[in-house]
Amino acid sequence: MTVTHRIGAVVVGEGEEVRLAFQTVKAGDVVDLRHYGTFGAAKTYMATGKGVTVTVGKIPDLIRLLQEAEAKAHDLGLLTGSTG
């Protein structure tokens, strides 16, 4: 049985978002970053299959990597403020 704890979402386009959640699965606790989109007339968000799941212990590595990406984006002039 999978237990999911949704953390939040970032809108990335019209009818598209990236969701972050913790899941407890047979293999242990993981963090899931998954792309969702709306499909059909109902406009219900559904997972697209695109995403990544890693063990919870990798969260500090992911944070470090995102911080490095943010710094590089500033260096390249891709980001001009603290948020994108």
Side-chain angles (χ1 to χ4, degrees):
M1 179 172 109
T2 300
V3 178
T4 301
H5 301 282
R6 185 174 172 190
I7 305 303
V10 175
V11 174
V12 295
E14 186 175 334
E16 295 181 76
E17 63 185 28
V18 174
R19 294 183 183 178
L20 179 69
F22 288 128
Q23 293 184 344
T24 300
V25 296
K26 285 184 181 180
D29 296 321
V30 297
V31 62
D32 186 60
L33 187 63
R34 188 115 346 244
H35 183 261
Y36 281 73
T38 56
F39 300 96
K43 300 294 182 191
T44 302
Y45 278 97
M46 298 177 66
T48 65
K50 296 178 182 177
V52 63
T53 302
V54 297
T55 62
V56 171
K58 293 293 182 181
I59 291 173
D61 295 330
L62 292 173
I63 291 170
R64 180 186 45 76
L65 191 61
L66 287 170
Q67 289 171 332
E68 289 175 14
E70 181 184 29
K72 186 65 172 182
H74 279 289
D75 290 347
L76 295 171
L78 303 173
L79 283 176
T80 57
S82 60
T83 61

